[in-house]
Amino acid sequence: MSIMTCIADMRQVARRRVPKMFFEYADGGSYAEETLRANRADLERIKLRQRVLVDVSQRELATTMVGEPVALPFALAPVGLCGMQWGDGEILACRAAHAAGIPFCLSTMSIASIEDVAAAVEKPFWFQLYVMKDRGFVRALIDRAAAAKCSALVLTIDLQVLGQRHRDVHNGLTVPPEIRLKNILDIARKPAWALSALRGKRKTFGNLAGQVRGTENLNSLARWIAGQFDPALTWKDVEWIRSLWPGKLIIKGVLDVEDAKLAAKTGATALVVSNHGGRQLDGAPSSISALPRIVDAVGGEIEVMFDGGIRTGADVLRALALGARSCLIGRAYIYGLGAGGEDGVSKAIKIIRDELDVSMALCGVNSIRQIDRRVIAEM
């Protein structure tokens, strides 16, 4: 772990340790992966303004996210199937996030259930909600999140129709793994992962299994999931969820200014500028290219967060400079989880924290609140 100096190093180790179908589930995007690549390329094109002979001896990285004090200006984003990157992956990632003083968001499509995570950690976490056709199940999920004392609900709104991910089709992705010879041989070559998976509490979607009548086995559960994403979802459903959820609401998946204006009118605490990590509409703009217009349009009305392509502390600085109040980090911590479980997630957080700290210093910035567009170099 000590020789992994950056997130790219962690990605390479995770690629060796995690079965291909699960590594590529997290690593890949939809269709030709144009938007996946754009998220990184457009961040890298933004150049930072180096400043010298500025006193940066008293740097402070703490800030707030939706009113909560946090040690760093980012949270761990909701990612499905964490528990298939490493056994009990959601619990391990949540523990690492809490140890670092930042929020963790549990996905609806997690392996560990809401209750599993709540029983294993001492602090509240966020819960990410997909609105399924079965509104009774959605209501029950919201009630379960409230009972677990989740401190925020992250409503993901860009999955009404599922974008195809070619890598998943090629790999025969299922949970647990589909019994194919190549999958069996792949897992046999990854004994550390196999041991962690065997020790993990669950082997299927913890928030779904056993909760819906008629989904008692994996095949029936898979059929239920495939038919549950709702193309009829509208802003009225957001109003309905707002009426059910008593706490802070974060709307994730906004990429258009008009949609941002509608989100700001819902009474939500925050919105997340996101293209679902390049996993939905391929050919959509990168998240970072959409961020400044959305901040200019609604930044005075609602807290704006950023999600999409962050791999370094400099990327966090870029997003904050363009107006985001904070960021969500997904693949970067997932690579850490696959590389080394809880220690790997902690290492990934530390890497990004240290890179952000150094980048701030070399840009002449002492605190998160000082970061604005003056940090960006004119090209």
Side-chain angles (χ1 to χ4, degrees):
M1 194 71 67
S2 62
I3 64 171
M4 287 187 267
T5 62
C6 59
I7 299 301
D9 287 349
M10 306 201 91
R11 179 181 180 273
Q12 291 305 314
V13 175
R15 189 171 192 169
R16 293 195 301 268
R17 291 186 174 178
V18 178
K20 181 180 179 183
M21 67 169 66
F22 296 123
F23 175 82
E24 293 203 338
Y25 166 80
D27 191 60
S30 63
Y31 299 102
E33 301 188 344
E34 292 176 12
T35 300
L36 172 69
R37 292 190 296 272
N39 277 348
R40 287 296 309 137
D42 288 356
L43 273 166
E44 290 175 347
R45 273 194 282 269
I46 298 169
K47 303 306 175 187
L48 299 171
R49 184 184 178 200
Q50 178 179 297
R51 301 300 306 277
V52 297
L53 298 180
V54 177
D55 182 353
V56 288
S57 59
Q58 303 296 322
R59 298 188 300 284
E60 176 57 64
L61 275 65
T63 184
T64 61
M65 296 181 73
V66 292
E68 299 177 19
V70 293
L72 300 166
F74 57 85
L76 301 192
V79 179
L81 276 63
C82 279
M84 287 295 160
Q85 302 294 325
W86 202 261
D88 290 332
E90 292 89 0
I91 293 170
L92 303 182
C94 189
R95 285 174 175 165
H98 286 173
I102 63 175
F104 168 81
C105 187
L106 180 70
S107 171
T108 291
M109 307 306 290
S110 59
I111 301 301
S113 69
I114 300 169
E115 293 80 9
D116 293 338
V117 179
V121 301
E122 297 179 354
K123 301 176 185 177
F125 54 92
W126 298 352
F127 181 68
Q128 175 264 340
L129 179 71
Y130 287 128
V131 180
M132 309 288 196
K133 289 179 182 177
D134 185 340
R135 295 298 197 266
F137 175 69
V138 173
R139 183 189 289 267
L141 270 180
I142 293 172
D143 289 344
R144 290 166 64 191
K149 296 182 170 51
C150 292
S151 54
L153 187 72
V154 179
L155 173 62
T156 297
I157 60 173
D158 59 356
L159 209 78
Q160 291 167 274
V161 177
L162 187 63
Q164 180 169 295
R165 293 131 196 198
H166 295 336
R167 297 201 218 179
D168 294 349
V169 176
H170 294 156
N171 291 328
L173 177 70
T174 61
V175 179
E178 186 174 304
I179 304 302
R180 292 182 179 181
L181 178 59
K182 68 175 184 178
N183 293 339
I184 294 171
L185 293 175
D186 188 25
I187 291 170
R189 291 192 292 266
K190 296 170 172 62
W193 177 90
L195 183 60
S196 80
L198 285 172
R199 288 174 172 171
K201 181 174 183 178
R202 296 186 189 272
K203 310 297 185 289
T204 187
F205 297 107
N207 291 322
L208 310 184
Q211 300 295 324
V212 181
R213 185 177 298 174
T215 62
E216 290 78 13
N217 61 63
L218 283 174
N219 288 335
S220 60
L221 179 60
R223 287 193 298 271
W224 184 83
I225 293 170
Q228 280 296 312
F229 293 106
D230 191 356
L233 192 68
T234 71
W235 289 101
K236 290 187 178 297
D237 294 292
V238 179
E239 294 175 14
W240 174 67
I241 289 162
R242 176 74 277 180
S243 73
L244 296 175
W245 176 250
K248 297 167 184 175
L249 179 66
I250 301 168
I251 297 177
K252 180 176 180 288
V254 177
L255 207 61
D256 181 86
V257 167
E258 294 306 311
D259 288 337
K261 291 177 180 177
L262 292 169
K265 293 177 181 178
T266 65
T269 312
L271 67 82
V272 184
V273 177
S274 172
N275 54 33
H276 212 95
R279 296 165 67 79
Q280 279 297 95
L281 176 61
D282 198 31
S286 67
S287 295
I288 198 67
S289 68
L291 176 64
R293 293 190 297 273
I294 290 175
V295 169
D296 290 344
V298 302
E301 304 170 50
I302 188 171
E303 188 169 327
V304 177
M305 300 178 179
F306 173 80
D307 166 75
I310 289 175
R311 301 290 185 275
T312 69
D315 292 336
V316 174
L317 182 58
R318 289 165 169 132
L320 299 181
L322 292 180
R325 289 276 298 278
S326 58
C327 300
L328 299 182
I329 293 173
R331 289 183 178 92
Y333 90 82
I334 289 297
Y335 297 144
L337 181 63
E342 183 176 346
D343 288 345
V345 178
S346 295
K347 178 73 171 184
I349 294 169
K350 184 179 186 301
I351 286 171
I352 293 177
R353 185 252 179 236
D354 290 350
E355 290 174 348
L356 173 61
D357 182 48
V358 170
S359 297
M360 286 171 55
L362 296 178
C363 289
V365 173
N366 276 294
S367 70
I368 298 301
R369 66 178 179 272
Q370 291 178 346
I371 300 171
D372 58 24
R373 295 186 191 185
R374 288 173 294 182
V375 172
I376 305 299
E378 294 184 10
M379 299 299 291

